Amino acid sequence: MNIIIMDRLGLAPQIQEALATIYDPELKPANILDLGLIYEIITKENKQAKIVMTLTAPACPVAGQIMDEVQEKVAAIEGIEEAIVELTFDPPWNKDMMSEEAKLELGFM
């Protein structure tokens, strides 16, 4: 799945770099970007960043931890004053959303 990017601040590359350092502890070594958990990255002129993401399952036991880490790492990027994380399950995540690299790392290929 491709990430929808609407970047008014030119910070999408830095945001993607930060997101690539976040892992679902149950699916290491693949990061949340390679797992296909990030659906949208939006930045606005008011220095706000919004990340629309999903989880591998609605009952993910580390959901709060992952979402907090996304919020903290995006908010720490220079030029971002507020980071909002929105959780969605539409469309529901499936392993086809993973990058080829993540599939290899996790033994799905």
Side-chain angles (χ1 to χ4, degrees), residues 85-96:
V85 180
E86 181 180 310
L87 186 62
T88 185
F89 292 100
D90 183 27
W93 180 87
N94 66 68
K95 67 179 180 148
D96 293 334

Side-chain angles (χ1 to χ4, degrees), residues 45-97:
E45 292 90 356
N46 64 357
K47 298 185 180 181
Q48 184 183 74
K50 180 179 176 182
I51 309 300
V52 179
M53 65 176 291
T54 194
L55 301 168
T56 56
C60 177
V62 291
Q65 174 187 332
I66 293 170
M67 292 176 64
D68 287 347
E69 191 172 357
V70 168
Q71 193 278 328
E72 289 166 10
K73 288 194 175 184
V74 173
I77 294 169
E78 188 173 333
I80 303 285
E81 291 185 3
E82 181 182 21
I84 298 166
V85 180
E86 181 180 310
L87 186 62
T88 185
F89 292 100
D90 183 27
W93 180 87
N94 66 68
K95 67 179 180 148
D96 293 334
M97 295 174 167

Side-chain angles (χ1 to χ4, degrees), residues 6-17:
M6 293 180 274
D7 187 12
R8 302 231 183 229
L9 299 175
L11 296 174
Q14 293 94 317
I15 292 170
Q16 288 177 294
E17 194 174 301

